Amino acid sequence: MPASVIELSQSALQNNFTFLKKQFENTRISSVVKANAYGHGLEPYLKMAVDCGIDHFSVFSSDEAKKVKNIVKQPVDIMIMGWINDEDMEWVISNQIEFFVFNNDRVDKFLEISKRLGIPAKIHIELETGMNRTGFHSRELNRLIKKLSENKQHFQFKGICTHFAGAESIANYKRIHDQIKKFKVLHKRFLKNLLIPKTRHTACSAAALSYPKTQFDMVRIGILQYGFWPSVETYIHFLTHNNIQSDPLKQILSWTSVIMSIKKVKTGEFVSYGTSYLAQKDMKIALIPVGYSQGYARNLSNQGRVIINGQRVGVIGMVNMNMLIADVTTIDKVNIGDKVVLIGAQGDISINVSSFTEMSDQLNYELLTRLPVEIPRVITK
Ligand SMILES: *Cc1c(COP(=O)(O)O)cnc(C)c1O
């Protein structure tokens, strides 16, 4: 038996996609699966998403695109939003992988290879609208449009896109609106020159919900599909604008381990490395074979919570490389081999993950993306 297991709930994912499809009725959903599907595990996650009818996946790099291509046997569209190794461009184009084009360097690169292979590349032109990350600035467009117009047979114009600088916070309201306006203006310049993109897409999770007009023809949904909100503001905005009381999303991931050992500690003794935890009563403690090398963050030392036999208990002392310790003094019946919930629910109690961690008992979702690939993933109902 492995030291810990990650379970992924198919019914929770189905719930999330049913909800999302209702929000984005006339808009295609691209499922963003970069960073090992936000730590959930790319392989099981792709299978689950395909079973929910998803047929467009977005990744960050060509390495990730290769993995998706190898895993999914059904015909789906794959889109690279960021890094492409030079050596991979040929593979990308010959496998009809879609990709963002955000600078002249990439235009030259893809044209060279498309011409050589005689295969038109499937490109998405990314526009700089105010984030100042990747994308063509308006002053670069004449040159770009000229080059594209001269090479029309060497690409399919799959899309035109941009990315917003912080749609999860109301503080960026004006900036986002300016970006939307700019996007529309720049899009028109392509149309005027008879370069007609098949789709327009701009929205990540937060933009898609909080600024519905950013939905256009496709939305790039990451965090929401896994059952998390991009921010408290997005969550509250959604609830109040739709007059609903409870969270429509379900977290699909749960992470569990078991008790490896139990022992007693006397008042006045320190627990684990160093002096960070001093027993102030006679205690019963449980060792759990999960530590920071398995993704349980060290900053949860003396802070984290786990669920054992239906009770929420505290993590005490430093989180070790491969072990953590829980205070089980208050649990009468506790045995080696009992289940330990690190993330997820048992009965009415849960340990949640959130991108916003002001609330106690919530872990940061940075923790998700750091869950090691080695932890076995199991798909459950
Ligand atoms: C990661 C990413 C997304 C998805 O963001 P979420 O907030 O998780 O929905 C969308 N677009 C781009 C360009 C991204 O890099």
Side-chain angles (χ1 to χ4, degrees):
M1 203 173 107
S4 74
V5 182
I6 289 171
E7 289 176 336
L8 303 170
S9 163
Q10 182 73 41
S11 57
L13 185 63
Q14 184 60 60
N15 169 80
N16 297 346
F17 277 127
T18 302
F19 165 75
L20 291 169
K21 283 176 185 168
K22 217 169 108 209
Q23 301 307 311
F24 314 130
E25 264 177 342
N26 299 308
T27 302
R28 193 171 185 194
I29 294 177
S30 178
S31 162
V32 180
V33 293
K34 64 193 178 193
N36 197 29
Y38 288 46
H40 287 65
L42 188 60
E43 183 159 2
Y45 188 78
L46 285 169
K47 184 186 174 308
M48 293 168 75
V50 168
D51 284 350
C52 291
I54 297 300
D55 61 2
H56 195 288
F57 293 98
S58 292
V59 295
F60 175 71
S61 65
S62 51
D63 298 331
E64 292 179 335
K66 285 182 176 176
K67 287 185 189 156
V68 175
K69 181 83 183 160
N70 284 333
I71 293 166
V72 181
K73 298 304 166 213
Q74 291 86 341
V76 297
D77 293 321
I78 303 170
M79 181 169 79
I80 301 169
M81 303 185 292
W83 177 249
I84 299 177
N85 296 323
D86 277 352
E87 318 82 72
D88 283 347
M89 190 52 104
E90 198 172 314
W91 177 84
V92 166
I93 292 173
S94 49
N95 283 279
Q96 299 284 282
I97 307 294
E98 303 176 13
F99 58 95
F100 281 23
V101 174
F102 43 71
N103 61 20
N104 286 312
D105 201 61
R106 187 161 284 183
V107 176
D108 294 341
K109 187 87 200 166
F110 97 70
L111 279 177
E112 178 204 321
I113 298 192
S114 284
K115 284 178 191 168
R116 178 154 57 73
L117 296 176
I119 303 172
K122 293 187 167 180
I123 66 165
H124 293 253
I125 296 290
E126 187 185 9
L127 299 172
E128 171 55 60
T129 55
M131 182 165 182
N132 286 312
R133 200 169 70 174
T134 43
F136 285 98
H137 195 274
S138 58
R139 63 177 170 263
E140 300 173 294
L141 283 197
N142 283 342
R143 186 176 157 200
L144 172 68
I145 285 172
K146 183 164 180 290
K147 200 173 252 178
L148 291 178
S149 301
E150 291 166 356
N151 287 285
K152 274 188 168 173
Q153 70 277 32
H154 298 301
F155 66 92
Q156 293 180 39
F157 199 176
K158 295 299 279 186
I160 193 157
C161 57
T162 194
H163 189 55
F164 295 115
E168 55 283 331
S169 168
I170 193 76
N172 299 319
Y173 186 82
K174 170 147 193 327
R175 193 171 173 195
I176 302 298
H177 272 282
D178 288 348
Q179 285 194 267
I180 300 170
K181 246 190 260 163
K182 185 132 199 197
F183 178 76
K184 288 182 176 166
V185 169
L186 298 183
H187 172 236
K188 284 214 186 85
R189 283 179 59 186
F190 286 84
L191 300 187
K192 253 194 234 144
N193 288 280
L194 301 176
L195 289 165
I196 321 284
K198 287 231 166 59
T199 57
R200 292 156 302 165
H201 54 97
T202 64
C204 58
S205 294
L209 287 183
S210 299
Y211 304 82
K213 64 174 156 181
T214 66
Q215 291 170 11
F216 295 106
D217 309 305
M218 185 165 81
V219 288
R220 305 184 301 262
I221 300 298
I223 196 71
L224 285 172
Q225 59 185 328
Y226 306 103
F228 305 103
W229 291 86
S231 68
V232 183
E233 284 178 42
T234 313
Y235 177 53
I236 302 296
H237 181 272
F238 184 82
L239 290 190
T240 51
H241 281 72
N242 293 277
N243 201 17
I244 52 174
Q245 315 298 327
S246 64
D247 192 344
L249 296 174
K250 291 190 175 141
Q251 301 189 1
I252 71 167
L253 177 144
S254 80
W255 184 22
T256 60
S257 181
V258 292
I259 294 178
M260 181 170 79
S261 183
I262 296 173
K263 68 171 50 169
K264 298 207 160 129
V265 173
K266 290 241 173 284
T267 312
E269 292 179 344
F270 291 108
V271 176
S272 189
Y273 288 120
T275 54
S276 81
Y277 192 87
L278 175 65
Q280 303 192 8
K281 59 186 181 207
D282 288 353
M283 298 179 70
K284 184 166 59 176
I285 63 174
L287 272 81
I288 297 150
V290 173
Y292 59 79
S293 74
Q294 290 129 301
Y296 201 87
R298 286 186 72 178
N299 62 14
L300 294 168
S301 297
N302 286 312
Q303 299 279 337
R305 298 270 191 282
V306 299
I307 308 171
I308 297 172
N309 296 347
Q311 273 193 51
R312 186 167 14 218
V313 298
V315 170
I316 60 170
M318 299 304 290
V319 172
N320 296 179
M321 188 184 286
N322 293 106
M323 261 185 281
L324 61 86
I325 297 171
D327 175 8
V328 292
T329 312
T330 55
I331 309 179
D332 289 338
K333 281 193 125 189
V334 61
N335 295 299
I336 290 175
D338 284 355
K339 189 168 176 174
V340 178
V341 178
L342 305 166
I343 298 175
Q346 196 174 59
D348 296 338
I349 329 179
S350 66
I351 308 286
N352 295 318
V353 185
S354 167
S355 57
F356 36 93
T357 39
E358 293 104 75
M359 286 164 250
S360 59
D361 304 326
Q362 291 201 326
L363 313 176
N364 195 307
Y365 86 63
E366 190 178 337
L367 184 137
L368 276 185
T369 55
R370 294 195 178 164
L371 288 173
V373 287
E374 292 81 22
I375 301 175
R377 267 70 170 176
V378 181
I379 300 173
T380 62
K381 273 226 278 284

